[in-house]
Amino acid sequence: MKNIKFPILLLMLFMTTIIHAADKLYIVGDAVFCGWDTNLVPLMYNNGNNVFTYTGWFDADKEFKFQTETNFESTSYRNAAGYTGYISNGSGTLVEKQGDTDDWKFKLTESGNYRITCDLNALTIVAQKLDYQATHVKYSALYLIGNSVPGGWNLNATTPVLWQDDNNYSVQVNLNASTNSGVDDVTFKFTTDPNRGWDTNYFYFRDISGAEKVSTDATDDRKWWVSETGKYVVNINLDDMSIHIRKYNVYSGTGNWSNTSNWTFGSVPASPDIAEVNSGELTVDQAANAYQVKILPGAKLTVSTGQSFTVSDSLLIESDDTGTGTFLDNGTSTIPSAKVQQYLTSGRSWYIAPPVSNAAYTNITDVDSVVFYDEPNAKWQKISSGNLTPGQGYIAVNSRVNAIRSFKGTLNNGEQTINLTRTAGKAKEGFNLIGNPYPSYVNWESTIKTNVGSTIWYRTKNTSGTYVFDTFNSGTGTDNNGSGAVTGLIPPMQAVWVRVAEGQTSGSVVFNNTMRSHATSSTTLLKAPKLVTNKILRLQVSNAVNSDEAIVVFNPESSDGFDRYDAEKMTNNNVAIPEIYTNPVTGSNNLVINSLENVNSVSELPLGFKTGETNNFTIKAKGLNYFDENTHIILKDNLLNAETDLTKGDAYSFASDAVNTSDRFTILFKVSSITTEENNPVDKDYLIYANGNLQIGIYNKTVVGGQTKVSVLNAVGQKISDRILDSTSTYITVPETGIYMVTVCSKGKTTVQKIIVK
């Protein structure tokens, strides 16, 4: 018995796998144009894996079902509800049947164009009503056939031409050229169903009036041909029976529009053609014309000053998970409409802004919600109708699948003014969410600000998937996202937070064309390298999962109080994210970027620390830029009286309960004003410096109890101090400013160092 059960089980599994397989599927019924005439039933488009779609007009309250062949004796798929009834909430289930019994069909409650999807593996049906309802659609696809196309005259290798939302059947295809106007039969035509063979009732032919019309008249078997081999876009409209066969001319690399060798056709596009910017940066250096222009993700298109750029139909700027194309119009462009894409991954909220002037809310209705921040009322307002406002920032909440959202309208160009408010006593007082209004990057530092601070904040996710704030001000940005320090080069369609200055009730930000640019990398985030020469200390706290930064910048243009070079801390309000901050030397603002005038005038700086949980943490110097070699930065734990030299790259580990304190940690800046005799080089085990307050500090990296002696002499040789070092840090008070000689003796080695106390 065991020897026969196993094969039977395999057979049952095999039958379960193939029982619903089909290589084609037809829709039939009085709800669709064919009625119950099997000679007219339309072929559904085969998406593969037993999934079929039909796009067409359905009459309400009438019936339809599905057949695997063009006869009623074939296998059919019917309503698994067990009766003829309506598809509920846009979906239903299928059951496989044969014969006249149990002939349960489907109906729809509203007339209109629908996309019907049948999954024969899952036995499901989905009905989606289309936006396009102007005319009745009949077919999901036409099929291109002929020696001009890759499959030749093989009915089993046709090229699908799918119906699009603009009521055109469209395909991008490589066509071979005819050398003698089609006499050589390097031609093509269209069929509605390759399974019907060569029956002319199912073909469309070239009209006798010319190549821009299609016809059902089979006289002379008129076909189409092209005179140049290459990539083309073929569009057919069955309402007006028109056809357009356009060259698809692709530019690769970086260069000028006039460089014919970079175009795939070996010539610049003409006004009927479609032009694609494939990669690199294309510069329009002459009068340019095209029917459509596409800029692929990461590619760049610039219209030079003084040049004209005419697009008779539309401009498409594409986006995917690798980046977004950008467009700079420095000349005179005529573009009647544009579609700018933005790729949004699922499971998060995205800060977005429209790059077109009349972007309808319906452009992004396939997300959970779209909201903007109402500063006067301190609340989020949901968008449910109308258009999105250029310059206004929005949050799109997307818990659905990864998808491309498209902004459709007229590209924003020229000066854009964004008016802002500050309402006293409100939560997030003065914070406004604004956005880049252009289809290019824009330089925040160049914007014209009235009563508005120079800081921008944006919300993003770090590498562990947690929402964090990153901050930029005056050439310096944080790297809480974990992928690179942000800069002021704001990407297209990116929204950021700004704040109206304290004491003001209103403000404005003005963008103009001179502030626009392409990015230096393909990223769509606020990331791009920027050269700075100010001394920068980048501190990072971490709990091994999430981290947070605080930055100290020494900028001779800034003051030690709160000014335009400082950036306030935007707290995450998340117990899982530890946070650090500093305060200005004079003032109490919690700062994420603290810009001070001179490292020599700051001996110490309190480091604020906040956590909402009990955990283990580390603090380290993530970056030290442009500090002198004789500058040492020490982290002092005032609670445990422990010091760590951050300049060595060490991280300080500690434990903490939930706390928000600016008392536990101090950053010490130890700058030695020294001259050292050649015969007595400074021992690297010691740091000797003047720390202000008439004190000389000696930092001993390797304490050897009772074996290290230090003496201090003034400029006339009088001994000021003589003592044994028994801790890592020792401070010796001197009576007045001046020059002192400090001698350190340890393990038979003597170091003499001159210190200037100011």
Side-chain angles (χ1 to χ4, degrees), residues 232-471:
Y232 288 80
V233 170
V234 180
N235 289 311
I236 297 178
N237 187 307
L238 293 184
D239 289 327
D240 61 14
M241 301 296 281
S242 64
I243 181 172
H244 295 282
I245 304 168
R246 303 183 188 278
K247 290 181 182 178
Y248 194 89
N249 210 348
V250 179
Y251 191 98
S252 297
T254 294
N256 293 324
W257 187 278
S258 61
N259 294 345
T260 56
S261 61
N262 290 63
W263 293 101
T264 52
F265 276 92
S267 60
V268 300
S271 55
D273 300 342
I274 297 172
E276 177 190 291
V277 188
N278 179 268
S279 61
E281 181 174 352
L282 172 59
T283 300
V284 176
D285 63 331
Q286 63 178 42
N289 298 272
Y291 175 73
Q292 289 179 345
V293 175
K294 294 182 180 181
I295 306 172
L296 267 55
K300 307 161 189 176
L301 177 61
T302 301
V303 180
S304 296
T305 303
Q307 300 299 336
S308 64
F309 180 63
T310 303
V311 180
S312 57
D313 182 67
S314 60
L315 172 70
L316 171 61
I317 303 176
E318 295 189 347
S319 177
D320 62 16
D321 58 349
T322 67
T324 298
T326 52
F327 174 66
L328 274 180
D329 181 11
N330 296 324
T332 304
S333 295
T334 302
I335 303 172
S337 68
K339 182 164 72 172
V340 186
Q341 296 180 347
Q342 180 63 48
Y343 179 82
L344 302 180
T345 57
S346 63
R348 63 170 295 170
S349 299
W350 287 95
Y351 279 45
I352 62 172
V356 297
S357 61
N358 47 352
Y361 159 72
T362 52
N363 289 172
I364 47 176
T365 53
D366 54 348
V367 297
D368 300 327
S369 64
V370 179
V371 297
F372 70 93
Y373 188 68
D374 178 3
E375 193 277 340
N377 294 302
K379 63 187 297 187
W380 292 99
Q381 303 283 8
K382 188 174 182 179
I383 300 291
S384 57
S385 63
N387 292 341
L388 304 178
T389 303
Q392 171 74 60
Y394 298 88
I395 294 181
V397 181
N398 180 29
S399 66
R400 307 178 188 184
V401 297
N402 299 350
I404 294 170
R405 274 71 186 185
S406 297
F407 296 94
K408 302 174 185 177
T410 303
L411 290 175
N412 295 324
N413 192 27
E415 187 172 288
Q416 306 284 324
T417 300
I418 306 169
N419 294 312
L420 310 172
T421 59
R422 181 163 183 149
T423 308
K426 295 292 185 178
K428 299 178 76 69
E429 180 181 322
F431 281 99
N432 293 255
L433 188 62
I434 70 171
N436 177 359
Y438 303 121
S440 61
Y441 286 72
V442 67
N443 189 338
W444 167 250
E445 294 187 276
S446 300
T447 57
I448 302 168
K449 310 170 189 68
T450 302
N451 299 333
V452 176
S454 54
T455 300
I456 54 174
W457 299 264
Y458 83 102
R459 193 72 153 156
T460 186
K461 276 190 172 183
N462 61 18
T463 53
S464 67
T466 304
Y467 284 105
V468 296
F469 278 105
D470 265 315
T471 310

Side-chain angles (χ1 to χ4, degrees), residues 664-684:
R664 177 166 180 177
F665 297 104
T666 302
I667 300 296
L668 305 177
F669 296 93
K670 299 184 177 182
V671 182
S672 299
S673 301
I674 64 172
T675 58
T676 304
E677 296 180 14
E678 245 180 75
N679 294 332
N680 295 286
V682 177
D683 191 330
K684 293 183 179 180

Side-chain angles (χ1 to χ4, degrees), residues 55 354 511 576 636:
T55 303
F511 296 96
K636 183 176 182 181

Side-chain angles (χ1 to χ4, degrees), residues 617-680:
F617 305 91
T618 59
I619 294 177
K620 68 177 182 180
K622 185 179 177 183
L624 286 163
N625 301 99
Y626 301 105
F627 284 95
D628 298 331
E629 290 184 3
N630 63 327
T631 300
H632 285 250
I633 299 170
I634 310 299
L635 173 67
K636 183 176 182 181
D637 185 336
N638 299 311
L639 178 65
L640 302 179
N641 195 29
E643 294 186 353
T644 300
D645 187 354
L646 299 180
T647 53
K648 296 171 57 179
D650 296 336
Y652 178 66
S653 301
F654 64 99
S656 177
D657 295 329
V659 70
N660 186 358
T661 177
S662 59
D663 297 327
R664 177 166 180 177
F665 297 104
T666 302
I667 300 296
L668 305 177
F669 296 93
K670 299 184 177 182
V671 182
S672 299
S673 301
I674 64 172
T675 58
T676 304
E677 296 180 14
E678 245 180 75
N679 294 332
N680 295 286

Side-chain angles (χ1 to χ4, degrees), residues 688-698 710-715 718-723 730-743 753-758:
I688 306 171
Y689 58 95
N691 76 337
N693 301 318
L694 297 179
Q695 285 187 330
I696 295 174
I698 300 97
V710 60
S711 61
V712 179
L713 304 180
N714 64 15
Q718 295 174 325
K719 184 175 289 188
I720 303 301
S721 177
D722 194 3
R723 67 172 67 181
T730 301
Y731 300 98
I732 299 173
T733 302
V734 296
E736 57 186 351
T737 60
I739 299 174
Y740 294 86
M741 299 300 295
V742 180
T743 302
Q753 191 167 315
K754 182 189 292 183
I755 297 295
I756 302 173
V757 178
K758 299 179 180 180

Side-chain angles (χ1 to χ4, degrees), residues 583-634:
N583 302 119
V585 174
T586 56
S588 58
N589 309 68
N590 291 344
L591 304 179
V592 60
I593 301 175
N594 190 354
S595 190
L596 305 169
E597 182 179 4
N598 193 325
V599 67
N600 294 311
S601 64
V602 180
S603 59
E604 60 182 50
L605 199 64
L607 178 67
F609 170 68
K610 176 184 176 182
T611 178
E613 63 179 0
T614 299
N615 207 335
N616 295 315
F617 305 91
T618 59
I619 294 177
K620 68 177 182 180
K622 185 179 177 183
L624 286 163
N625 301 99
Y626 301 105
F627 284 95
D628 298 331
E629 290 184 3
N630 63 327
T631 300
H632 285 250
I633 299 170
I634 310 299

